[in-house]
Amino acid sequence: MYQPDLSPLGDSLALSSLVAVLPLLTLFVLLGGLRMKAHWAGLASLAVAVLVAVTAYGMPTDLALLSAGEGAAFGLFPIMWIVLTAIWVYQLTVVSGRFEDLRAAFGLISADPRVQAIIIAFCFGGLLEALAGFGAPVAITGVMLMGLGFTPVRAALTVLVANTAPVAFGAIGIPIITAGNLTKIPYTDIGAYVGRQTPLIALFVPLMLVTLVDGRRGLRQTWPVALVCGAVFGLAQFVSANYISVELTDIIASLAGLAAVVLFLRVWKPQGGEQARADLQGQTGNGTAGGPAGGRRSDAASPRPQGTADAHDRQAVTRTRPAPEGPGARLSGSRILMAFLPYLVVIAVFSVAKLWPPAKEFLTASDRKISWPGLDGQVLTAAGKVSTTTVYTFPWLSSPGTLLLLSGIVVAAVYRISPVSAVREFVATVVKLRWALLTVAAVLALAYVMNLSGQTITIGTWIAGAGAAFAFLSPVLGWLGTAVTGSDTSANALFATLQQAAANEANLDPTLLVAANTSGGVVGKMISPQNLTIAATAVGLAGQESVLFRAAIKWSLLLLLALCLLVFLQSNALAWMLP
């Protein structure tokens, strides 16, 4: 049986960490520096991870390759299964012609694209994160912003940054529940701590979004509504996480934030909305895309959104059922209801599946546990226990992807889309996602090799050796774990117990550092290759993940620094903030 040595090189934890980080450096340099296509960068980094595992850590080659195989399987199902079905549900709204009504319906709330970014990417995306997670919010809201006239780069970057604050409580609080199960700290306590960290991030995210959409002008003209949304969302997160329910936190916060925006817009209207929309439409028409600070960059080579209908397709649809022209056009109540039907169905299906105990128990019982052939029982953890990671869970029925598939079938039936057309769209979506499938499979294979060989825990243990200063560095582990795996839940699975042990050694609050790991993962998700691929594919930028990485990394690092300072202060001067 293979047991990883945390310091295999010269018995030096620092030197071993420098070698262990090579796969991640390879990935980020190829993506951010050399702008290599994500699937090639992922495969190259996977090769480096296997090489380090075999040569530096002494992991048998067959076990390293089997670890990669299990990781690739997890990347394809359930991760990409969720993305595939999420985009397919969107496709159904396009081929039915209902997406034009949806665009006009959002215009009834506000025709200002900066406000629409807050409503769709932050509030609606937060609701989807609460129910589904695993990339579904990025895929769905990305194509929705594209349909509203956003350029590909701007739409993708907006949804990546928006998908931060809700992540800790995503998928009905799974990241926090996982941390509680591993550390034996009541997950309600961890949630209460997280509820005193991520709300401060939520306060500023809408301000970042309006800046991404329209630069300094957008911030100057729309900061009141952005601040109201962030403040209400954050306050609702705090109240729910501490006094109501960890599992329902994002649902409550997202709905509260949306209600606050709608009510606030009744007494205050931002200026410059028409100019901002004209600028967006001009960029779409002349092939330029707005940069993260309101600048412009060439985007002429970008294909149209994956799976969206072209102009001819849309004309064919609108001939049979005229769609209203322009935002804010008059719509009947029934047409508005039908426009929002797919997302109402998604919310209903996920609410039943996640919140109704009989349904939740039935779906969970349907999961199949598969001992990975040749790998299960052959790998120990650094602590000497048999690794449970080598058991692959096949959630064929409980997966959010399967629930989205069910939602799509219902939508197709109500929209009267023929089974042949629905299947044709599904197959077309699979074909268009082929490179994204390869990318995510490679990245998850990389994560599994690093985890099972001991590379990830080596890096974490080295950082944890900072003693009392570890309170400042603690969120970095969560950030790193989520950046590698694309999942805050996985980051907690990797580092929650390490955070607890390091806190005990440094005489720090273990619950604070476990919560910091969760909160750190929140700001690492936007640069995860998995999430970058999902966003790029959704808006038609497949193969251009490096562009998004270079734009998103600055926002991720800025939020990470703020979070590190907050946790450090909460460990001493701001201890009064904690429960």
Side-chain angles (χ1 to χ4, degrees), residues 387-478:
S387 175
T388 58
T389 307
T390 56
V391 176
Y392 171 69
T393 300
F394 183 60
W396 68 279
L397 192 56
S398 66
S399 166
T402 304
L403 298 179
L404 284 168
L405 177 66
L406 175 61
S407 302
I409 293 173
V410 174
V411 170
V414 176
Y415 279 174
R416 298 182 180 178
I417 299 173
S418 70
V420 173
S421 297
V423 171
R424 182 171 58 242
E425 290 299 327
F426 191 90
V427 173
T429 304
V430 173
V431 172
K432 290 167 183 174
L433 285 174
R434 61 189 183 278
W435 295 117
L437 292 167
L438 177 58
T439 299
V440 174
V443 170
L444 268 295
L446 159 74
Y448 268 63
V449 172
M450 290 189 65
N451 296 345
L452 290 173
S453 67
Q455 296 173 58
T456 304
I457 200 70
T458 292
I459 300 170
T461 305
W462 179 51
I463 296 176
F470 184 56
F472 178 83
L473 298 174
S474 178
V476 176
L477 285 182

Side-chain angles (χ1 to χ4, degrees), residues 46 50 62-76 372-373 375 392 441-442 444-446 448-449 452:
L46 170 60
V50 172
D62 61 332
L63 295 184
L65 295 177
L66 288 169
S67 300
E70 185 187 1
F74 181 75
L76 295 175
W372 201 256
L375 185 64
Y392 171 69
L444 268 295
L446 159 74
Y448 268 63
V449 172
L452 290 173

Side-chain angles (χ1 to χ4, degrees), residues 53 64 97 115 194 203 222 236 257 265-266 319 337 356 379 395 406 433 442 446 463 484 498 512 542 554 573:
V115 177
V194 175
L203 178 64
T222 63
L265 289 176
R266 291 191 174 188
R319 286 193 195 102
L337 178 63
W356 188 40
V379 179
L406 175 61
L433 285 174
L446 159 74
I463 296 176
V484 173
L498 177 64
L512 172 63
K554 67 186 73 172

Side-chain angles (χ1 to χ4, degrees), residues 185-249:
I185 299 172
Y187 77 88
T188 52
D189 292 352
I190 300 173
Y193 275 66
V194 175
R196 297 166 192 243
Q197 296 170 349
T198 57
L200 294 176
I201 296 175
L203 178 64
F204 294 101
V205 169
L207 296 170
M208 294 180 177
L209 298 184
V210 297
T211 304
L212 285 167
V213 175
D214 197 31
R216 294 179 180 175
R217 180 183 65 186
L219 179 62
R220 184 176 64 254
Q221 294 178 341
T222 63
W223 69 264
V225 66
L227 194 61
V228 165
C229 181
V232 172
F233 186 100
L235 179 62
Q237 262 197 340
F238 165 76
V239 172
S240 181
N242 282 272
Y243 305 111
I244 303 177
S245 167
V246 170
E247 293 89 340
L248 299 179
T249 292

Side-chain angles (χ1 to χ4, degrees), residues 225-569:
V225 66
L227 194 61
V228 165
C229 181
V232 172
F233 186 100
L235 179 62
Q237 262 197 340
F238 165 76
V239 172
S240 181
N242 282 272
Y243 305 111
I244 303 177
S245 167
V246 170
E247 293 89 340
L248 299 179
T249 292
D250 273 348
I251 295 176
I252 294 172
S254 298
L255 294 176
L258 177 60
V261 171
V262 172
L263 293 175
F264 188 72
L265 289 176
R266 291 191 174 188
V267 298
W268 179 88
K269 300 290 183 184
Q271 296 180 343
E274 292 183 2
Q275 182 61 47
R277 177 166 292 282
D279 288 348
L280 280 180
Q281 293 174 344
Q283 292 161 20
T284 304
N286 64 20
T288 58
R296 299 186 178 184
R297 64 175 301 280
S298 174
D299 198 33
S302 300
R304 62 191 176 94
Q306 295 288 354
T308 58
D310 57 24
H312 180 270
D313 297 331
R314 293 189 181 225
Q315 288 173 5
V317 171
T318 54
R319 286 193 195 102
T320 59
R321 190 184 57 76
E325 295 296 332
R330 290 186 177 181
L331 288 171
S332 66
S334 61
R335 288 181 66 172
I336 293 176
L337 178 63
M338 291 297 285
F340 280 99
L341 175 72
Y343 308 105
L344 296 175
V345 171
V346 168
I347 292 171
V349 169
F350 276 89
S351 296
V352 171
K354 302 293 185 180
L355 302 179
W356 188 40
K360 184 177 181 180
E361 292 171 5
F362 171 75
L363 292 174
T364 302
S366 69
D367 292 351
R368 296 290 178 263
K369 303 288 185 180
I370 302 174
S371 298
W372 201 256
L375 185 64
D376 186 42
Q378 301 302 310
V379 179
L380 300 176
T381 65
K385 299 179 180 179
V386 176
S387 175
T388 58
T389 307
T390 56
V391 176
Y392 171 69
T393 300
F394 183 60
W396 68 279
L397 192 56
S398 66
S399 166
T402 304
L403 298 179
L404 284 168
L405 177 66
L406 175 61
S407 302
I409 293 173
V410 174
V411 170
V414 176
Y415 279 174
R416 298 182 180 178
I417 299 173
S418 70
V420 173
S421 297
V423 171
R424 182 171 58 242
E425 290 299 327
F426 191 90
V427 173
T429 304
V430 173
V431 172
K432 290 167 183 174
L433 285 174
R434 61 189 183 278
W435 295 117
L437 292 167
L438 177 58
T439 299
V440 174
V443 170
L444 268 295
L446 159 74
Y448 268 63
V449 172
M450 290 189 65
N451 296 345
L452 290 173
S453 67
Q455 296 173 58
T456 304
I457 200 70
T458 292
I459 300 170
T461 305
W462 179 51
I463 296 176
F470 184 56
F472 178 83
L473 298 174
S474 178
V476 176
L477 285 182
W479 177 85
L480 178 66
T482 304
V484 173
T485 64
S487 165
D488 201 12
T489 302
S490 297
N492 277 345
L494 286 174
F495 295 129
T497 53
L498 177 64
Q499 296 269 16
Q500 183 183 37
N504 290 328
E505 291 179 8
N507 198 28
L508 296 169
D509 183 350
T511 307
L512 172 63
L513 298 197
V514 173
N517 194 81
T518 306
S519 300
V522 162
V523 297
K525 192 162 187 176
M526 72 176 76
I527 62 164
S528 163
Q530 171 190 314
N531 236 31
L532 291 172
T533 299
I534 292 170
T537 303
V539 302
L541 291 175
Q544 299 187 44
E545 290 84 355
S546 59
V547 175
L548 300 181
F549 175 80
R550 292 165 67 89
I553 185 67
K554 67 186 73 172
W555 298 97
S556 180
L557 292 176
L558 177 64
L559 290 172
L560 177 63
L561 176 60
L563 189 58
C564 288
L565 288 171
L566 173 63
V567 173
F568 177 73
L569 291 174

